Amino acid sequence: MNLTVVMVHFKSDKNKLNSCLKSIGIHTKVLIIDHSNDLKLDNINIPKNIDIEIIKNKNLGNGAGINCGIKNSKTNYVLYLDIDTILPLNFFKHLENVINKVD
């Protein structure tokens, strides 16, 4: 799937972030926009199916972080997730079906 996942981090709970990443059931790029400038890859349990990039960004609000993620994405589709989101197992199957209908 031609998709980038965008997340905005501001002093977020690392356990919630790790749980969210674990629930992403496809191979994809994840951009984490870091507004608190304290997130390090060492603090993250990165699943093998995820290519992660942390982008340090001035904190101008959540919407600005989302826009930064969209601007830095190189895919046709972007999915924004809050750090505390846990996706159901079949989420990406349903998303792919919807994308196939749109394309």
Side-chain angles (χ1 to χ4, degrees):
M1 196 176 331
N2 194 7
L3 175 79
T4 300
V5 174
V6 172
M7 305 167 101
V8 178
H9 163 77
F10 181 75
K11 301 182 190 243
S12 303
D13 181 301
K14 306 301 186 283
N15 292 325
K16 288 181 180 180
L17 171 60
N18 287 325
S19 294
C20 180
L21 292 172
K22 187 177 176 183
S23 75
I24 298 173
I26 61 169
H27 187 296
T28 193
K29 175 84 167 194
V30 174
L31 299 177
I32 300 178
I33 312 306
D34 183 15
H35 279 173
S36 54
N37 292 305
D38 65 352
L39 187 63
K40 295 178 178 45
L41 286 175
D42 310 8
N43 300 339
I44 305 170
N45 297 326
I46 305 170
K48 294 180 186 205
N49 60 307
I50 292 177
D51 177 19
I52 200 163
E53 180 181 350
I54 297 173
I55 299 173
K56 305 291 184 188
N57 194 43
K58 184 176 179 180
N59 185 5
L60 297 174
N62 197 56
I66 295 167
N67 287 335
C68 176
I70 292 169
K71 184 168 59 171
N72 285 280
S73 172
K74 295 173 178 57
T75 57
N76 290 341
Y77 299 99
V78 175
L79 173 66
Y80 169 73
L81 295 177
D82 284 324
I83 297 286
D84 60 352
T85 303
I86 305 295
L87 298 169
L89 290 174
N90 58 354
F91 176 82
F92 287 101
K93 180 77 170 154
H94 290 296
L95 181 62
E96 187 173 37
N97 289 339
V98 171
I99 287 173
N100 288 337
K101 289 179 184 176
V102 172
D103 278 345

